[in-house]
Amino acid sequence: METAFAGVKVLDLSRLLPGPFCSMLLADFGADVIKVEDPKGGDYIRWWPPLLGKNSGFHVVLNRNKRSLTLNLKNQAGKDILLQLATKADVLLEGFRPGVMDRLGLGYEVLKEVNPRLIYCAITGYGADGPRAQRAGHDINYLALNGVLSHSGPSGAPTLPGVQIADLGGGALYAAFSIATALFARERIDAGQYIDLAMADGALTWNCLRWGQYLGDGVVPANGDGFLNLGFACYNLYQTRDNRYMSLGALEPQFWKLFCDTVGRPEWNQPSYFEPGPHQDELRAQVAALFREKDLEEWIRIFATVDCCCEPVLNMEEVMADAQVRQRNMVVDLLHESWGAYRQLGIAPKLSRTPGSINRHAPELGEHTGEILAAIGLDEQSLQQLRRDGVI
């Protein structure tokens, strides 16, 4: 089948998580993503343990479907090669601090001169301007500064999420959406554009419900204060007898009634179940005591045919074996000539006419340097010289 991004060429200079996840999404749907890496070590995430073969398991997941080109961008010959590649590229993605690419002589103003249709996406922590523009940061800092942590977790202290919300939700997903948007717009305006994407900005918008609540009631949101962040008994996590957890999301009256009837506690089904107040603490304690009476597997059996939004908290091993996950092809069994058999994450969006696919394992460092540079006219003698000079 035709792929959605067939013919789209992406130069990905990013490292670690946000940029590579973004370019993985593009590659999954057919973009030719060239991962441009420093010859001396490449993307740092390649070497983070635990390893699968010679590469990090993180790299194996994040950089599938891509080709790897090593290129020293501090060397003039390396800069010249990137400029040449940029003339034929559709997208350039980078994750440096603001100004780094300009100092290398490879910023947007330079690149758009050689390719006016180029879409240049810069993922940064805080954006291209503002008082924090040059400040270092990580996911935890962005979430702290934009308020997400202030209302996350139970009452008493903020809780750090188990996944990187700012990196992935605020950065990678917005970047992929922005690039797709710019590609769509280019068909009408016949020009590329610059995308200034701050992870802190993107994650800030994930506050949309709490933002709206604050607009309405004027009460500063806090952790454990609302029906969606462990403040209500009907929407919470409960420990089982064997120290596992069940998730209860019985927000709507019909779900709460069914839950109460299923566990033999119809007296809990009162209008106050969905009202804030100190009674929520008492109700939550009663529900918690109930869940501690049985092991996780017993609760799974009890709620297997009861449609009241009560599900087990699965660990990663259990998720990979889950029937729903398997049916949706969210676990893909692959075989690598060196690593052996492994399980790759599947592709979440299911497009009927232009579906995504996994066609390449994550590349070794510089695995495709020769073929990429040969395609722009460099012969073997030139490649050998570039290697001797430390350019590739």
Side-chain angles (χ1 to χ4, degrees), residues 30-65:
D32 177 16
V33 176
I34 297 175
K35 185 174 178 65
V36 182
E37 304 184 72
D38 185 88
K40 294 182 179 179
D43 186 344
Y44 317 135
I45 210 167
R46 277 183 174 275
W47 320 118
W48 287 6
L51 301 181
L52 185 62
K54 296 186 295 182
N55 294 286
S56 168
F58 305 129
H59 166 72
V60 168
V61 172
L62 289 169
N63 291 297
R64 67 194 188 196
N65 283 337

Short mmCIF file of all heavy atoms in Angstrom, two decimals, residues 30-65:
data_model
loop_
_atom_site.label_atom_id
_atom_site.label_comp_id
_atom_site.label_asym_id
_atom_site.label_seq_id
_atom_site.Cartn_x
_atom_site.Cartn_y
_atom_site.Cartn_z
N GLY A 30 6.11 6.11 6.50
CA GLY A 30 6.73 6.13 5.19
C GLY A 30 7.77 7.19 4.91
O GLY A 30 8.38 7.18 3.84
N ALA A 31 8.00 8.13 5.84
CA ALA A 31 9.03 9.14 5.60
C ALA A 31 10.41 8.49 5.60
O ALA A 31 10.67 7.56 6.37
CB ALA A 31 8.96 10.23 6.65
N ASP A 32 11.28 8.98 4.73
CA ASP A 32 12.68 8.55 4.72
C ASP A 32 13.43 9.40 5.73
O ASP A 32 13.79 10.54 5.44
CB ASP A 32 13.27 8.71 3.32
CG ASP A 32 14.75 8.34 3.26
OD1 ASP A 32 15.24 7.67 4.19
OD2 ASP A 32 15.42 8.72 2.28
N VAL A 33 13.62 8.86 6.94
CA VAL A 33 14.26 9.61 8.02
C VAL A 33 15.74 9.26 8.08
O VAL A 33 16.09 8.09 8.27
CB VAL A 33 13.59 9.32 9.37
CG1 VAL A 33 14.35 10.03 10.50
CG2 VAL A 33 12.13 9.77 9.35
N ILE A 34 16.57 10.26 7.89
CA ILE A 34 18.01 10.10 8.02
C ILE A 34 18.42 10.64 9.38
O ILE A 34 18.28 11.84 9.65
CB ILE A 34 18.77 10.84 6.90
CG1 ILE A 34 18.40 10.24 5.54
CG2 ILE A 34 20.28 10.77 7.14
CD1 ILE A 34 19.02 10.98 4.36
N LYS A 35 18.87 9.76 10.22
CA LYS A 35 19.30 10.14 11.56
C LYS A 35 20.75 10.60 11.48
O LYS A 35 21.66 9.79 11.27
CB LYS A 35 19.15 8.95 12.51
CG LYS A 35 19.46 9.25 13.97
CD LYS A 35 19.14 8.06 14.85
CE LYS A 35 19.48 8.33 16.31
NZ LYS A 35 18.64 9.41 16.88
N VAL A 36 20.97 11.90 11.62
CA VAL A 36 22.31 12.48 11.50
C VAL A 36 22.97 12.47 12.88
O VAL A 36 22.49 13.11 13.81
CB VAL A 36 22.24 13.92 10.94
CG1 VAL A 36 23.64 14.49 10.78
CG2 VAL A 36 21.49 13.93 9.60
N GLU A 37 24.09 11.73 12.98
CA GLU A 37 24.74 11.53 14.29
C GLU A 37 26.21 11.90 14.24
O GLU A 37 26.87 11.81 13.20
CB GLU A 37 24.59 10.07 14.72
CG GLU A 37 23.16 9.58 14.77
CD GLU A 37 23.06 8.16 15.29
OE1 GLU A 37 23.27 7.94 16.50
OE2 GLU A 37 22.80 7.25 14.47
N ASP A 38 26.72 12.29 15.39
CA ASP A 38 28.15 12.60 15.51
C ASP A 38 28.96 11.32 15.34
O ASP A 38 28.63 10.29 15.94
CB ASP A 38 28.43 13.23 16.88
CG ASP A 38 29.88 13.67 17.00
OD1 ASP A 38 30.18 14.81 16.62
OD2 ASP A 38 30.70 12.85 17.47
N PRO A 39 30.04 11.36 14.55
CA PRO A 39 30.82 10.14 14.31
C PRO A 39 31.44 9.55 15.56
O PRO A 39 31.71 8.33 15.62
CB PRO A 39 31.91 10.60 13.33
CG PRO A 39 31.40 11.86 12.73
CD PRO A 39 30.55 12.50 13.77
N LYS A 40 31.68 10.35 16.59
CA LYS A 40 32.41 9.87 17.76
C LYS A 40 31.55 9.07 18.74
O LYS A 40 32.08 8.37 19.58
CB LYS A 40 33.04 11.06 18.50
CG LYS A 40 34.12 11.75 17.70
CD LYS A 40 34.75 12.88 18.49
CE LYS A 40 35.86 13.56 17.69
NZ LYS A 40 36.48 14.69 18.45
N GLY A 41 30.24 9.18 18.64
CA GLY A 41 29.42 8.42 19.59
C GLY A 41 27.96 8.35 19.23
O GLY A 41 27.23 7.50 19.74
N GLY A 42 27.53 9.23 18.36
CA GLY A 42 26.14 9.23 17.94
C GLY A 42 25.20 9.71 19.02
O GLY A 42 25.61 10.38 19.98
N ASP A 43 23.96 9.37 18.86
CA ASP A 43 22.93 9.71 19.83
C ASP A 43 23.28 9.07 21.17
O ASP A 43 23.52 7.87 21.26
CB ASP A 43 21.58 9.18 19.31
CG ASP A 43 20.40 9.60 20.16
OD1 ASP A 43 20.60 10.04 21.30
OD2 ASP A 43 19.26 9.46 19.67
N TYR A 44 23.29 9.88 22.23
CA TYR A 44 23.67 9.37 23.55
C TYR A 44 22.85 8.16 23.97
O TYR A 44 23.34 7.27 24.69
CB TYR A 44 23.51 10.45 24.64
CG TYR A 44 24.00 11.82 24.27
CD1 TYR A 44 23.24 12.94 24.56
CD2 TYR A 44 25.23 12.00 23.64
CE1 TYR A 44 23.68 14.22 24.24
CE2 TYR A 44 25.68 13.28 23.30
CZ TYR A 44 24.90 14.38 23.61
OH TYR A 44 25.33 15.63 23.28
N ILE A 45 21.60 8.13 23.55
CA ILE A 45 20.70 7.08 24.04
C ILE A 45 21.08 5.70 23.49
O ILE A 45 20.63 4.68 24.01
CB ILE A 45 19.23 7.42 23.68
CG1 ILE A 45 18.29 6.83 24.75
CG2 ILE A 45 18.85 6.92 22.29
CD1 ILE A 45 16.88 7.35 24.68
N ARG A 46 21.94 5.68 22.46
CA ARG A 46 22.39 4.40 21.90
C ARG A 46 23.06 3.52 22.94
O ARG A 46 23.03 2.29 22.85
CB ARG A 46 23.40 4.63 20.78
CG ARG A 46 22.84 4.94 19.43
CD ARG A 46 23.95 5.07 18.42
NE ARG A 46 23.43 5.23 17.09
CZ ARG A 46 23.06 4.23 16.29
NH1 ARG A 46 23.16 2.98 16.73
NH2 ARG A 46 22.60 4.46 15.09
N TRP A 47 23.73 4.12 23.91
CA TRP A 47 24.62 3.37 24.79
C TRP A 47 24.07 3.22 26.20
O TRP A 47 24.74 2.69 27.08
CB TRP A 47 26.00 4.07 24.83
CG TRP A 47 26.40 4.58 23.49
CD1 TRP A 47 26.63 5.87 23.13
CD2 TRP A 47 26.62 3.81 22.30
NE1 TRP A 47 26.97 5.96 21.80
CE2 TRP A 47 26.97 4.71 21.26
CE3 TRP A 47 26.55 2.44 22.00
CZ2 TRP A 47 27.26 4.30 19.97
CZ3 TRP A 47 26.82 2.03 20.71
CH2 TRP A 47 27.17 2.95 19.71
N TRP A 48 22.86 3.71 26.44
CA TRP A 48 22.28 3.59 27.78
C TRP A 48 21.82 2.16 28.04
O TRP A 48 21.04 1.60 27.28
CB TRP A 48 21.08 4.53 27.92
CG TRP A 48 21.43 5.98 28.01
CD1 TRP A 48 22.67 6.54 27.87
CD2 TRP A 48 20.53 7.06 28.26
NE1 TRP A 48 22.60 7.90 28.01
CE2 TRP A 48 21.30 8.26 28.26
CE3 TRP A 48 19.17 7.15 28.49
CZ2 TRP A 48 20.73 9.50 28.47
CZ3 TRP A 48 18.60 8.39 28.70
CH2 TRP A 48 19.37 9.55 28.70
N PRO A 49 22.31 1.53 29.10
CA PRO A 49 21.85 0.18 29.42
C PRO A 49 20.39 0.20 29.88
O PRO A 49 19.90 1.26 30.33
CB PRO A 49 22.79 -0.24 30.56
CG PRO A 49 23.27 1.03 31.16
CD PRO A 49 23.33 2.03 30.04
N PRO A 50 19.71 -0.94 29.71
CA PRO A 50 20.22 -2.23 29.26
C PRO A 50 20.32 -2.31 27.74
O PRO A 50 19.57 -1.63 27.03
CB PRO A 50 19.17 -3.21 29.78
CG PRO A 50 17.90 -2.41 29.80
CD PRO A 50 18.29 -1.02 30.17
N LEU A 51 21.24 -3.15 27.27
CA LEU A 51 21.51 -3.26 25.85
C LEU A 51 20.75 -4.43 25.22
O LEU A 51 20.49 -5.45 25.87
CB LEU A 51 23.01 -3.45 25.60
CG LEU A 51 23.94 -2.35 26.11
CD1 LEU A 51 25.39 -2.68 25.75
CD2 LEU A 51 23.55 -0.98 25.54
N LEU A 52 20.44 -4.26 23.96
CA LEU A 52 19.92 -5.33 23.12
C LEU A 52 20.90 -5.44 21.97
O LEU A 52 20.95 -4.55 21.11
CB LEU A 52 18.51 -4.99 22.62
CG LEU A 52 17.77 -6.07 21.82
CD1 LEU A 52 17.55 -7.31 22.67
CD2 LEU A 52 16.44 -5.54 21.31
N GLY A 53 21.70 -6.48 21.97
CA GLY A 53 22.83 -6.52 21.04
C GLY A 53 23.85 -5.49 21.47
O GLY A 53 24.21 -5.40 22.65
N LYS A 54 24.30 -4.66 20.54
CA LYS A 54 25.28 -3.62 20.85
C LYS A 54 24.64 -2.28 21.17
O LYS A 54 25.33 -1.31 21.46
CB LYS A 54 26.25 -3.45 19.67
CG LYS A 54 27.10 -4.67 19.38
CD LYS A 54 28.13 -4.39 18.29
CE LYS A 54 27.49 -4.08 16.96
NZ LYS A 54 28.48 -3.86 15.89
N ASN A 55 23.32 -2.21 21.09
CA ASN A 55 22.63 -0.94 21.25
C ASN A 55 21.66 -0.97 22.44
O ASN A 55 21.21 -2.04 22.87
CB ASN A 55 21.84 -0.59 19.99
CG ASN A 55 22.74 -0.34 18.80
OD1 ASN A 55 23.38 0.69 18.72
ND2 ASN A 55 22.81 -1.30 17.88
N SER A 56 21.34 0.20 22.93
CA SER A 56 20.36 0.32 24.00
C SER A 56 18.98 -0.13 23.54
O SER A 56 18.59 0.09 22.39
CB SER A 56 20.30 1.77 24.47
OG SER A 56 19.18 1.99 25.30
N GLY A 57 18.25 -0.74 24.46
CA GLY A 57 16.86 -1.06 24.15
C GLY A 57 16.06 0.18 23.84
O GLY A 57 15.13 0.14 23.03
N PHE A 58 16.43 1.32 24.45
CA PHE A 58 15.75 2.58 24.15
C PHE A 58 15.93 2.94 22.67
O PHE A 58 14.99 3.36 21.99
CB PHE A 58 16.30 3.72 25.02
CG PHE A 58 16.25 3.45 26.50
CD1 PHE A 58 17.36 3.61 27.30
CD2 PHE A 58 15.07 3.04 27.10
CE1 PHE A 58 17.31 3.38 28.66
CE2 PHE A 58 15.00 2.80 28.47
CZ PHE A 58 16.13 2.98 29.26
N HIS A 59 17.17 2.82 22.19
CA HIS A 59 17.47 3.13 20.79
C HIS A 59 16.70 2.20 19.85
O HIS A 59 16.17 2.64 18.83
CB HIS A 59 18.97 3.00 20.54
CG HIS A 59 19.36 2.97 19.10
ND1 HIS A 59 19.31 4.08 18.29
CD2 HIS A 59 19.79 1.95 18.30
CE1 HIS A 59 19.70 3.76 17.07
NE2 HIS A 59 19.99 2.47 17.05
N VAL A 60 16.61 0.94 20.21
CA VAL A 60 15.95 -0.05 19.37
C VAL A 60 14.48 0.32 19.14
O VAL A 60 13.95 0.19 18.04
CB VAL A 60 16.06 -1.46 19.99
CG1 VAL A 60 15.15 -2.45 19.30
CG2 VAL A 60 17.51 -1.94 19.93
N VAL A 61 13.83 0.83 20.18
CA VAL A 61 12.42 1.21 20.06
C VAL A 61 12.27 2.53 19.32
O VAL A 61 11.44 2.66 18.42
CB VAL A 61 11.77 1.29 21.45
CG1 VAL A 61 10.35 1.87 21.35
CG2 VAL A 61 11.72 -0.09 22.09
N LEU A 62 13.08 3.52 19.68
CA LEU A 62 12.88 4.89 19.20
C LEU A 62 13.34 5.12 17.76
O LEU A 62 12.87 6.05 17.11
CB LEU A 62 13.60 5.89 20.11
CG LEU A 62 13.00 6.09 21.50
CD1 LEU A 62 13.96 6.87 22.37
CD2 LEU A 62 11.66 6.80 21.40
N ASN A 63 14.27 4.32 17.29
CA ASN A 63 14.90 4.65 16.00
C ASN A 63 14.70 3.61 14.92
O ASN A 63 15.48 3.53 13.97
CB ASN A 63 16.39 4.94 16.23
CG ASN A 63 16.59 6.23 17.01
OD1 ASN A 63 16.24 7.31 16.54
ND2 ASN A 63 17.11 6.12 18.22
N ARG A 64 13.63 2.84 15.04
CA ARG A 64 13.27 1.91 13.97
C ARG A 64 12.91 2.70 12.71
O ARG A 64 12.59 3.89 12.75
CB ARG A 64 12.08 1.08 14.41
CG ARG A 64 10.80 1.90 14.56
CD ARG A 64 9.75 1.14 15.30
NE ARG A 64 8.47 1.85 15.29
CZ ARG A 64 7.48 1.55 16.12
NH1 ARG A 64 7.61 0.60 17.01
NH2 ARG A 64 6.34 2.23 16.03
N ASN A 65 12.95 2.03 11.58
CA ASN A 65 12.53 2.59 10.30
C ASN A 65 13.37 3.77 9.83
O ASN A 65 12.95 4.52 8.94
CB ASN A 65 11.05 3.01 10.34
CG ASN A 65 10.11 1.84 10.22
OD1 ASN A 65 10.48 0.78 9.72
ND2 ASN A 65 8.88 1.99 10.69
#
